[in-house]
Amino acid sequence: MAGLSIDLRYPAGAFVYGMTKPRVTVDGYEVPVHDWGQNYFDVVVGGPHRIEIYVPYALPRRAGRARLDVMVPEQGVALEYMAPSFTFARGSLGAPGQQVSVGHKTTVTVVAMIPALAIFGVALYGLYLRAEQWWG
């Protein structure tokens, strides 16, 4: 039997993922996952396999879906899964150390814009009050 090692990760800001465990299927059969982090599965024989991973969530029901067809050699293979920052985006599955969180830049941009828009709104309101005092 060949081993399959998968490092299951999620971005630091997406702490909600930590409340549940990802689901992993190998060739359509679900395999037990211990938790986020390094997981080893000694359930496959060498050869071609389809690996699918997702995180159970409210909406969508299967967040961060990722699928990879991989040729597993007899000595096994190591993979890495990264859940997305934005739950409606796809997850990233592939070679260790190369997977990035999909939607991370968009999420950071939106979060950074919220205080900027609030400050802009307060400034506009202040200008409105000052103009109202001037014009009576």
Side-chain angles (χ1 to χ4, degrees), residues 29-136:
Y29 296 99
E30 190 167 329
V31 293
V33 173
H34 301 291
D35 206 354
W36 291 96
Q38 198 68 35
N39 283 267
Y40 184 78
F41 308 101
D42 195 23
V43 295
V44 297
V45 295
H49 294 282
R50 173 167 282 180
I51 313 299
E52 295 184 57
I53 302 175
Y54 69 92
V55 181
Y57 205 72
L59 274 175
R61 301 291 297 159
R62 295 178 176 201
R65 294 176 81 171
R67 178 183 308 154
L68 180 68
D69 291 323
V70 64
M71 180 63 77
V72 179
E74 287 300 320
Q75 65 269 24
V77 69
L79 298 172
E80 179 182 63
Y81 169 78
M82 176 62 86
S85 294
F86 182 65
T87 57
F88 292 96
R90 297 189 80 55
S92 181
L93 178 62
Q98 298 178 6
Q99 306 313 306
V100 295
S101 177
V102 176
H104 181 70
K105 290 179 184 175
T106 304
T107 303
V108 168
T109 302
V110 169
V111 168
M113 286 178 61
I114 291 171
L117 288 173
I119 291 168
F120 182 70
V122 168
L124 275 179
Y125 184 66
L127 288 173
Y128 167 75
L129 290 177
R130 183 163 285 200
E132 190 176 74
Q133 286 176 348
W134 255 22
W135 301 105

